[in-house]
Amino acid sequence: MFNRNRCLRRVAAIASISSLVAGCGILSSDSSGDQGPIMVGTTSAPSTLDPAASWDGSWELFRNVFQTLLAYPTGATTPQPDAAKCRFTDSSNTTYSCELREGLKFADGDTLDAQAVKHSIDRIRKINVSGGPAGLLGSLDRVQVLGNREVVFHLNKSDATFPFVLATPAMSIVDPDDYPAGSLRKDSKVSGSGPYRLESYEEGKKAVLVRNDEYKGFAERRNDAVTIRYFQSSATMVKALRDKQIDVTYRGLAADDIVALQAKNSDGELQLIEGSGTDINYLVFNPKDPWASKTAVRRAIAQLVDRGAIAHKIYKGTVDPLYSMVPKGLTGHTTGFFDDYGDPSTSKARRLLSEAGITQRVPLTLWYTTDRYGSETAKEFKELKTQLESSGLFTITLKSRPWKTYVEGYQKGEYPVFGRGWFPDFPDAENFIAPFVGTQNALGTPYAAPKITDVLLPRSRGESDRGNVVEEFEEAQQILVDDARLLPLWQGRQFVAASVDVSGAERALDPSTIMTMWDLSRKTSW
């Protein structure tokens, strides 16, 4: 059951991450994993095991089994050294040099040197998977190796955000002996140098992680092994937690389960940890579809969608309505969709369509994934269907697929309108704009926005002080509002449910809300 009073018998387990660290950290000593692996449950299974193919939630596994040049030690909000120390060596932010730690090796004992880093980055661009991480490397011109330990990145334009890119799990360093330069790895194995090695993997079921004895990096491992179990629904995951089959849940707690956990009186078995989040949920409109390509249709939908109803009816207040692609809490956030459209209005939507000569009911198919963003997704899309059809202006068909085939569908341009979620690559407004625009983007749906891609983003990337680029981000967001090619719906919060016998869940989410498994441990005493 849910324990509200375990810490000093009075400190609530539902608390901000910072208050939990202050309130409970002194009460337990951490074991090193001698009581068996920490069992973590999530509804977010990897779509691939090859970093060159992934710009999605597969990063949650990558962060723990691969190493990057830079990363986020606990409490850091800017990239810090992991496999290397890095810095810009010029005033124009176009030359970035990294010096590797001495003696780095992959988990199998192979040497990790500068050539391995170059191989890892170059193959991302050479393979160039549609909707893959190559889109993060738009400012990279070439990678140069100087000796065994120095790598120099030469950029084709100023890019103060490049260190953030190198800190993403997409830039994981892979063993050249196991990862072909021109194609993806085909088996279900991983050759990395991260805190853990992947001992075994069953697709859609579980990943078994054990301590990598060759690891040299910043992570202080508080356990020796972690097993990640992948669930199809929040309900089965929470049941497994209650039945003590898992120790921690991460990613995918349904609103009903969160509310139930919040409502339960304590009997000393579970804790629920809440933290602020920057993950967002939104709709994408396909410009090749005869109806979704019409600006008036997209704006009419923007005028009709009731975000408050979605947040409160479907998600029970565990998410917040979002009126910009840049979430609250980040420098540059605006409320452009509310400023331009105000409250939902059928009359305004009808006028937008009629002014464009559209007088019939608009037929649209909305697609969503069944197993990626939580159990409420189907309910959310039924609510969207109800909202749009009740206006008398739209006829909506709903269709869905599991994530793996869902990705293939939107990358092929099969969906007129589809739902996506976004967990940030790094905590900067740029990361909620740049990945979605341009001919190659994270959506696999080209979006030509030359003022953003050719003017505003390059201008912002030349500024190291991110507080000085607010105007650029505000203008970019207004362009997104005017185009209505992307329709933000809600911003999430982070909830982690765990056994009270587990410590570290309150510090185990990095700035990209990826769980750092090494922070978890079992409590040995109170």
Side-chain angles (χ1 to χ4, degrees):
M1 300 294 287
F2 176 53
N3 176 22
R4 289 180 178 269
N5 306 309
R6 188 64 170 177
C7 298
L8 291 177
R9 299 182 181 177
R10 301 301 302 170
V11 179
I14 302 176
S16 68
I17 288 176
S18 59
S19 64
L20 268 170
V21 172
C24 304
I26 63 172
L27 295 181
S28 65
S29 59
D30 296 336
S31 75
S32 60
D34 56 356
Q35 300 179 49
I38 302 291
M39 305 295 291
V40 178
T42 177
T43 61
S44 181
S47 63
T48 177
L49 295 183
D50 193 326
S54 171
W55 199 350
D56 61 20
S58 303
W59 290 9
E60 295 158 9
L61 178 62
F62 296 170
R63 175 60 79 202
N64 293 279
V65 297
F66 290 107
Q67 196 170 16
T68 46
L69 295 172
L70 303 170
Y72 298 97
T74 301
T77 56
T78 57
Q80 304 296 318
D82 187 4
K85 292 182 178 180
C86 305
R87 64 186 181 92
F88 280 107
T89 58
D90 64 337
S91 58
S92 62
N93 293 336
T94 58
T95 305
Y96 198 67
S97 177
C98 294
E99 182 181 359
L100 294 173
R101 294 176 185 265
E102 291 187 17
L104 289 176
K105 293 182 179 181
F106 292 101
D108 62 1
D110 287 354
T111 298
L112 192 167
D113 57 13
Q115 285 291 348
V117 176
K118 175 176 169 59
H119 173 86
S120 301
I121 304 301
D122 283 348
R123 71 186 293 267
I124 292 172
R125 297 200 297 172
K126 185 173 183 179
I127 297 172
N128 195 22
V129 171
S130 177
L136 286 166
L137 295 170
S139 64
L140 179 62
D141 180 37
R142 61 188 176 92
V143 184
Q144 179 185 16
V145 169
L146 298 176
N148 291 328
R149 292 175 52 210
E150 186 176 0
V151 184
V152 181
F153 299 92
H154 297 276
L155 310 184
N156 53 37
K157 64 190 85 171
S158 295
D159 189 357
T161 69
F162 192 71
F164 290 92
V165 172
L166 289 182
T168 67
M171 305 301 138
S172 295
I173 305 168
V174 300
D175 190 337
D177 290 344
D178 299 318
Y179 293 81
S183 62
L184 298 175
R185 185 170 180 169
K186 303 298 184 184
D187 60 22
S188 59
K189 297 181 180 180
V190 162
S191 302
S193 61
Y196 301 94
R197 60 180 175 84
L198 184 65
E199 185 173 75
S200 65
Y201 179 75
E202 296 179 56
E203 184 175 352
K205 295 183 179 179
K206 68 178 180 178
V208 177
L209 281 56
V210 297
R211 178 185 287 256
N212 173 17
D213 293 332
E214 300 290 351
Y215 172 69
K216 291 184 178 180
F218 73 88
E220 298 181 10
R221 289 164 294 190
R222 293 176 167 83
N223 61 69
D224 289 329
V226 173
T227 296
I228 306 171
R229 287 185 55 189
Y230 302 110
F231 292 86
Q232 293 297 310
S233 72
S234 172
T236 55
M237 182 169 67
V238 172
K239 184 178 187 303
L241 179 66
R242 294 189 184 282
D243 293 343
K244 299 184 179 181
Q245 296 173 359
I246 59 175
D247 302 301
V248 184
T249 68
Y250 165 63
R251 192 80 75 197
L253 277 177
D256 286 341
D257 290 318
I258 294 170
V259 171
L261 286 169
Q262 289 172 334
K264 291 289 184 181
N265 292 323
S266 65
D267 66 0
E269 293 185 6
L270 295 183
Q271 55 179 319
L272 182 68
I273 301 157
E274 177 182 352
S276 59
T278 52
D279 58 302
I280 66 172
N281 184 274
Y282 57 98
L283 294 179
V284 183
F285 293 87
N286 187 345
K288 296 182 179 180
D289 180 78
W291 287 108
S293 63
K294 298 180 184 297
T295 303
V297 169
R298 301 194 300 267
R299 290 178 176 172
I301 292 174
Q303 185 63 73
L304 290 170
V305 169
D306 188 340
R307 295 169 176 81
I310 293 171
H312 295 290
K313 288 173 57 179
I314 307 302
Y315 290 94
K316 311 297 175 62
T318 61
V319 304
D320 298 307
L322 183 64
Y323 297 93
S324 167
M325 290 299 289
V326 176
K328 292 177 290 185
L330 294 184
T331 300
H333 165 74
T334 69
T335 54
F337 276 92
F338 184 81
D339 298 339
D340 280 27
Y341 296 98
D343 293 325
S345 171
T346 296
S347 61
K348 291 180 180 179
R350 181 178 290 108
R351 184 162 60 249
L352 286 167
L353 293 173
S354 63
E355 288 174 352
I358 301 172
T359 56
Q360 67 182 92
R361 270 185 176 254
V362 176
L364 275 179
T365 301
L366 274 57
W367 282 83
Y368 63 92
T369 180
T370 57
D371 58 352
R372 191 61 174 177
Y373 303 121
S375 305
E376 288 89 358
T377 304
K379 297 177 184 177
E380 176 184 356
F381 273 75
K382 288 178 182 177
E383 173 65 19
L384 285 169
K385 173 182 170 70
T386 297
Q387 291 181 10
L388 296 178
E389 289 190 335
S390 64
S391 70
L393 303 174
F394 289 88
T395 299
I396 302 298
T397 301
L398 297 181
K399 292 187 177 182
S400 62
R401 287 176 177 170
W403 176 252
K404 199 158 189 176
T405 53
Y406 183 73
V407 172
E408 296 171 358
Y410 71 65
Q411 288 178 346
K412 293 177 181 178
E414 295 178 2
Y415 312 149
V417 185
F418 60 96
R420 277 295 308 264
W422 183 252
F423 305 103
D425 305 328
F426 51 85
D428 190 278
E430 146 127 356
N431 194 235
F432 291 87
I433 297 174
F436 311 130
V437 295
T439 55
Q440 183 182 50
N441 59 46
L443 303 173
T445 305
Y447 178 8
K451 182 64 181 293
I452 296 177
T453 57
D454 301 342
V455 179
L456 298 175
L457 289 177
R459 191 190 300 164
S460 73
R461 288 166 179 161
E463 179 56 68
S464 297
D465 186 345
R466 307 307 287 162
N468 292 334
V469 293
V470 171
E471 290 185 5
E472 285 81 1
F473 289 137
E474 288 178 345
E475 185 174 351
Q477 287 170 86
Q478 188 57 50
I479 292 171
L480 298 181
V481 171
D482 293 341
D483 291 346
R485 282 277 307 275
L486 306 166
L487 187 65
L489 297 174
W490 52 260
Q491 175 177 347
R493 305 175 196 168
Q494 295 301 317
F495 292 92
V496 176
S499 163
V500 293
D501 296 328
V502 169
S503 175
E506 70 279 356
R507 61 175 177 261
L509 296 181
D510 76 3
S512 300
T513 66
I514 292 174
M515 182 168 277
T516 52
M517 303 297 176
W518 58 83
D519 279 313
L520 302 173
S521 63
R522 297 190 189 281
K523 298 173 182 176
T524 56
S525 64
W526 283 99

